[in-house]
Amino acid sequence: MAERFVMTQKNYEDLKKELDYLVKVKRPEIIERIAEARSHGDLSENAEYDAAREEQRSNEGKIAEIEFQIKNADVREEETDKTYVHLNSVVTVYDEDMEEEAVYTISSVTDVDVMHGKISIESPMGAALLKKRKGDKVNVSCPDGTSYTLKILKIN
């Protein structure tokens, strides 16, 4: 069975929009740049051509990745219950080891943005927090074998 990507309808629609942009806008722009670079002659020493081809490879890889995620999407209804942690919950936790609070949004794997506190439901922390309630202490097991404890202070 293929890997499934849990996401909300909004995540699904955002992926479709991004795919549409990459295929209908970015792909033709790149093709145009490649054609322009080819017209300059010798391709063996043409940095503009090489850069455009590299961008094309990157874009085609991203298109394939998004197509795969859409094809294997497991679209879930958005929950509004704030009594437990679920997809799209905003969770305030207290890290007992670091003695600090942090806020995380539990997101689909297709919507992760660690720099902005959006963690995947499939990450060690996301999986540990899932279905827990305010006041619960959760043990997060890291891939390196270590672990740490978080206390759930608030769920939005």
Side-chain angles (χ1 to χ4, degrees):
M1 184 171 143
E3 181 179 1
R4 303 295 295 170
F5 296 93
V6 175
M7 63 184 75
T8 63
Q9 187 65 40
K10 181 186 179 313
N11 298 140
Y12 183 79
E13 295 302 325
D14 288 347
L15 280 177
K16 285 174 58 177
K17 284 179 191 169
E18 184 177 1
L19 178 62
D20 192 55
Y21 168 77
L22 293 174
V23 170
K24 293 181 179 174
V25 177
K26 193 165 184 181
R27 182 185 272 165
E29 287 175 354
I30 294 169
I31 290 170
E32 190 174 308
R33 280 202 301 280
I34 290 172
E36 175 67 25
R38 274 191 177 137
S39 72
H40 295 246
D42 184 13
L43 297 180
S44 65
E45 294 183 18
N46 189 331
E48 186 180 332
Y49 175 79
D50 291 340
R53 291 289 294 175
E54 180 57 38
E55 186 177 4
Q56 183 182 41
R57 279 188 288 279
S58 175
N59 190 58
E60 293 304 316
K62 186 68 175 170
I63 288 170
E65 177 184 345
I66 292 173
E67 286 174 338
F68 183 76
Q69 290 172 343
I70 289 171
K71 178 182 167 200
N72 295 291
D74 180 0
V75 179
R76 305 269 173 98
E77 193 173 315
E78 290 215 33
E79 302 229 18
T80 56
D81 189 341
K82 295 181 181 184
T83 62
Y84 69 97
V85 179
H86 51 76
L87 185 62
N88 284 348
S89 289
V90 178
V91 184
T92 304
V93 296
Y94 179 74
D95 184 325
E96 295 180 344
D97 294 334
M98 302 294 283
E99 297 182 349
E100 63 186 24
E101 285 185 22
V103 178
Y104 299 102
T105 301
I106 310 301
S107 69
S108 73
V109 74
T110 62
D111 198 33
V112 170
D113 185 352
V114 178
M115 297 304 292
H116 292 100
K118 292 178 111 179
I119 60 170
S120 167
I121 61 171
E122 297 177 15
S123 69
M125 184 188 303
L129 291 170
L130 213 54
K131 299 185 180 173
K132 300 297 190 279
R133 298 183 180 279
K134 179 180 175 184
D136 286 354
K137 286 187 176 184
V138 291
N139 188 45
V140 180
S141 298
C142 301
D144 67 0
T146 62
S147 65
Y148 57 96
T149 302
L150 300 174
K151 181 176 181 179
I152 300 174
L153 302 177
K154 188 175 176 183
I155 303 169
N156 288 333

